[in-house]
Amino acid sequence: MSFGEQPAYLRVAGELRQQITNGFLPPHTRLPSQARIREEFGVSDTVALEARKVLMAEGLVEGRSGSGTYVREHPAPRRIRRSGYRSPGERTVFRQEQSDDTVKGVWEARSDQRDAAPGIADRLRITAGSRVMRTRYLFRVEGEPVMLSTSWEPLALTGRSPVMLPEEGPLGGQGVVERMAAIDQVVDNLVEEVGARPALAEEATALGGVPGRAMLVIARTHYAGGRPVETADVVVPADRFRVTYHLPVR
């Protein structure tokens, strides 16, 4: 193989990818069988199999048990809008994660006490093993699961206070800013770092799809006077959503 020449399986995958993107193989169409690919492109079974694996890894096709491999439907991505500002009257956990006032949704949550893992302890600037309140959220829009969030708050700060349980008490279901204000912690800064990784099995189960599907992960931390008071990982499917930031200009 000369320099710059593609391996045969990538060349075949490229040809099939083009047929998918130009509509020759529309969504829900069965991908040509391994034998058909072998015959059409004059390649071995191994090359045909590897080409199909490439398309599956790219999320262009999906296997259906006992039926074959089919072209996946790719609807236009929906936008998740994020902003450090929320208007009065919309100070809820849902609005904290989706700042677009036109989008309405609900959430489910479950809290438990945990020892802080080293990575979470670093983000909260506490000692690894310190007790934290972990809250796991599932957000839905029009009944469809769209987002997961796992939040950690140091119990050294919130323990034995009215806001120890994020979803219970007088401020249950409110955002971090409002809850922390109730214990004299004025949140004045918010940092978010966006990355991507394959979906964990439990994330794929909750949001639909298969393990390994690409996920956008927003690592968020709220600060009050330079002190981290909450940190969270917000997870959304990368192929179904785009994250849009609206930032004030000073």
Side-chain angles (χ1 to χ4, degrees):
M1 183 173 64
S2 63
F3 178 76
E5 183 180 348
Q6 282 189 320
Y9 77 95
L10 289 181
R11 177 176 56 81
V12 173
E15 293 284 346
L16 292 171
R17 185 188 304 111
Q18 184 63 32
Q19 292 182 27
I20 292 171
T21 56
N22 67 17
F24 182 77
L25 290 174
H28 309 296
T29 299
R30 186 173 181 176
L31 194 71
S33 67
Q34 189 168 311
R36 176 73 178 274
I37 293 173
R38 182 190 63 210
E39 295 172 3
E40 182 176 345
F41 294 96
V43 296
S44 67
D45 281 334
T46 299
V47 169
L49 177 61
E50 291 302 314
R52 289 159 64 94
K53 286 182 178 179
V54 168
L55 298 178
M56 191 167 292
E58 293 176 348
L60 294 174
V61 301
E62 60 184 355
R64 299 180 186 174
S65 180
S67 179
T69 304
Y70 291 80
V71 177
R72 288 185 58 197
E73 184 175 8
H74 285 272
R78 296 166 58 175
R79 296 196 178 277
I80 292 177
R81 185 170 127 178
R82 301 186 67 78
S83 171
Y85 171 79
R86 297 185 312 284
S87 59
E90 288 287 359
R91 297 171 179 171
T92 66
V93 171
F94 183 83
R95 192 56 61 220
Q96 174 179 280
E97 307 299 0
Q98 166 62 279
S99 63
D100 186 345
D101 292 342
T102 65
V103 178
K104 307 301 179 185
V106 297
W107 68 93
E108 305 162 17
R110 183 176 70 254
S111 296
D112 57 10
Q113 295 188 29
R114 292 289 178 108
D115 294 336
I120 298 303
D122 286 345
R123 286 161 60 172
L124 289 173
R125 298 180 191 166
I126 59 178
T127 303
S130 298
R131 298 295 281 175
V132 293
M133 183 65 72
R134 183 189 72 168
T135 305
R136 308 184 77 175
Y137 295 91
L138 171 62
F139 296 90
R140 300 178 186 272
V141 174
E142 298 177 353
E144 176 190 2
V146 297
M147 182 190 305
L148 295 171
S149 176
T150 304
S151 169
W152 297 268
E153 297 176 354
L155 284 169
L157 177 66
T158 63
R160 298 185 179 180
S161 78
V163 300
M164 184 177 75
L165 290 168
E167 294 298 310
E168 297 181 21
L171 292 178
Q174 301 299 299
V176 172
V177 175
E178 290 70 30
R179 291 177 48 254
M180 291 300 164
I183 56 172
D184 299 322
Q185 297 294 318
V186 179
V187 174
D188 54 15
N189 197 10
L190 170 66
V191 175
E192 294 194 344
E193 181 178 286
V194 182
R197 61 163 170 75
L200 305 178
E202 60 185 21
E203 294 168 345
T205 298
L207 296 175
V210 296
R213 180 185 192 181
M215 294 287 178
L216 293 175
V217 182
I218 304 169
R220 177 196 69 214
T221 304
H222 284 92
Y223 295 85
R227 176 183 184 177
V229 297
E230 182 261 6
T231 195
D233 285 338
V234 181
V235 179
V236 295
D239 60 341
R240 288 164 47 198
F241 296 93
R242 295 291 181 269
V243 179
T244 302
Y245 283 86
H246 289 248
L247 306 175
V249 177
R250 295 184 179 179

